[in-house]
Amino acid sequence: MTMLSTNGDLRQQTADIFTRKKRIALAVPAVIFAYFVYVFIAFDVAGLADRARMDNARTLVADAYSYKTHVARDNRDAELSFAIEGSRAGTYPAGEYPEWVSVDGTNMVVDLGGGNFVRYLDDTLVTFESPDFDTITLQLVDDVVVTNLPDPAPSWVNASDTRVSITTDAGRLTYTRSKAEVFRYSNGWELFFFTLASPYHGTGLVDILAGPQLDDSRSNIVGAWQDFWGNTLWRHTDVMWALGETVLMAFLGTFGAAIIALPLAFLAAKNFAPVVAVRFAVRRVFDFVRGVDGLIWTIILSRAFGPGPLTGALAILVTDVGGFGKSFSEALENVDEKQIEGVQSTGAKPIQRYRFGVIPQVTPILLSQILYYFESNTRSATIIGAITGGGIGLFLTQAMQTQNDWEKVTYYIILIVIMVMVMDTVSGWLRRKLIKGDGEGH
């Protein structure tokens, strides 16, 4: 009777467990579904399409792989100007202009290709001719931009009394009270190697290496090298220096944090800090500096010490002290006590026991953590540098803020990716070399 009762209880318990698991199995999908519904509503996913500006996206993508030549006429003094990306460093010399522009005094015709023309005529009058639309006229009358555009205007025209912007695949025309300006797109990164002022602009590599001397004061190779690194538009020298600053920020912050965190980790490890109060206090310090995001520390330190790459290095240092402290203390708590006892049996003092009995055991873990953080901080230093005003991050944010230099944004991003790839390769090689004792790896 007792055995039958016991078997019945077991069957009932098994049935109860099965029922609970079934309920959980049914509840989990319901909870996940409810969560996604909440996200859909809270983040207004349905309104994403309305907020999307595909025209802006297309403009940014085009700016990333092409360049714009600005052809402008001042509406006050009728002065003409021609500049690549609208930069002073890209301004055409006096009397020179692109081949697709025809100039007659203060009047000119801009050929945008495909039958699209912009004509700058007398008395601030500008016309936009297209085979797909009636000729658009724009003129400044009593400080108001007057046009013949229909109401409503086409979707590719943005018009007001003070500004008219016409955007087509052939190019863009912007007319304001101060000037009329055409932006014509061309593929490539013009002036990446040499500015218009350099005698090597438009010269091929073969001509530079084996052609006639283009500058009487310099050989072609020396002159081309100097003009490339002295390019005032792309600023290659400053950019390379900024990359070095970014790596240096990551290096100082990472290794400075490791030097500070290692002795503090002994105070946070149970087997090396028997005083509970000390161990608790040190661990809470690690939690505090680790719990506050690195960007927050960057803002705080930049207000305290001012902008600069050293402030960025300090922000990385403060953040990493917490991370290193936690991982180092855990490594110390897992050391083999027998090795320490073996060193102690030789009569070694406490510092010697740590040096020869503890450090060799945790060195592989420490080096692996330090090199991994260094690699990761190389990426983080880009964002931190954007806030503190140092490194390649500063160049990146400046290019984004101008809303005109997206080909430079692409250039800087490519350099950042290359820098991260190099740091990843070097870090992996060092880990294999220092930890495994060889330079081979797969």
Side-chain angles (χ1 to χ4, degrees), residues 218 417 440:
R218 303 175 294 178
V417 170
E440 301 296 328

Side-chain angles (χ1 to χ4, degrees), residues 84-375:
I84 294 174
E85 295 298 344
S87 170
R88 290 183 179 181
T91 302
Y92 279 76
E96 296 184 17
Y97 42 83
E99 59 182 9
W100 38 269
V101 176
S102 300
V103 177
D104 181 13
T106 58
N107 296 349
M108 64 179 169
V109 178
V110 181
D111 183 358
L112 295 178
N116 297 278
F117 295 90
V118 176
R119 301 182 187 275
Y120 292 73
L121 305 174
D122 293 328
D123 197 22
T124 71
L125 178 63
V126 174
T127 64
F128 183 89
E129 302 174 9
S130 173
D132 303 322
F133 196 79
D134 293 336
T135 298
I136 300 173
T137 62
L138 307 99
Q139 190 168 19
L140 190 64
V141 179
D142 295 331
D143 218 24
V144 174
V145 179
V146 178
T147 75
N148 66 337
L149 288 166
D151 189 14
S155 60
W156 41 275
V157 177
N158 188 353
S160 69
D161 291 340
T162 58
R163 178 186 178 89
V164 175
S165 179
I166 301 173
T167 303
T168 69
D169 293 336
R172 283 188 287 167
L173 168 63
T174 300
Y175 193 105
T176 65
R177 288 182 292 188
S178 60
K179 65 180 178 180
E181 188 170 26
V182 170
F183 309 98
R184 188 179 191 271
Y185 281 94
S186 302
N187 290 330
W189 292 350
E190 182 68 352
L191 310 186
F192 178 80
F193 293 101
F194 309 110
T195 63
L196 292 170
S198 172
Y200 308 100
H201 176 259
T203 304
L205 179 61
V206 175
D207 292 332
I208 291 176
L209 295 176
Q213 187 171 344
L214 300 175
D215 189 337
D216 295 338
S217 61
R218 303 175 294 178
S219 67
N220 284 350
I221 296 178
V222 172
W225 179 264
Q226 292 175 345
D227 286 5
F228 172 77
W229 289 108
N231 189 318
T232 54
L233 187 64
W234 287 85
R235 301 171 60 189
H236 298 299
T237 299
D238 295 335
V239 170
M240 292 301 113
W241 181 266
L243 280 176
E245 274 189 350
T246 301
V247 175
L248 187 58
M249 274 195 291
F251 178 83
L252 291 176
T254 304
F255 286 87
I259 292 172
I260 295 172
L262 182 57
L264 292 177
F266 281 93
L267 299 177
K270 294 180 181 179
N271 48 341
F272 292 99
V275 182
V276 177
V278 174
R279 190 168 66 246
F280 178 84
V282 175
R283 288 191 174 189
R284 297 297 76 79
V285 170
F286 288 157
D287 291 340
F288 173 70
V289 296
R290 184 167 52 91
V292 179
D293 189 79
L295 292 180
I296 304 300
W297 284 119
T298 303
I299 295 171
I300 294 172
L301 293 172
S302 63
R303 292 293 299 272
F305 300 103
L310 184 58
T311 303
L314 287 175
I316 294 174
L317 183 149
V318 172
T319 306
D320 284 0
V321 162
F324 281 145
K326 184 177 185 300
S327 60
F328 289 0
S329 61
E330 291 176 351
L332 290 171
E333 289 177 348
N334 292 305
V335 296
D336 185 0
E337 295 291 342
K338 293 181 179 180
Q339 292 191 31
I340 303 174
E341 293 172 358
V343 175
Q344 185 178 4
S345 65
T346 64
K349 298 179 180 179
I351 294 181
Q352 293 173 323
R353 293 201 297 269
Y354 293 161
R355 166 62 182 85
F356 298 103
V358 177
I359 298 300
Q361 293 189 59
V362 298
T363 294
I365 298 176
L366 303 189
L367 287 176
S368 179
Q369 287 288 320
I370 292 170
L371 291 173
Y372 172 77
Y373 271 69
F374 180 37
E375 173 194 332

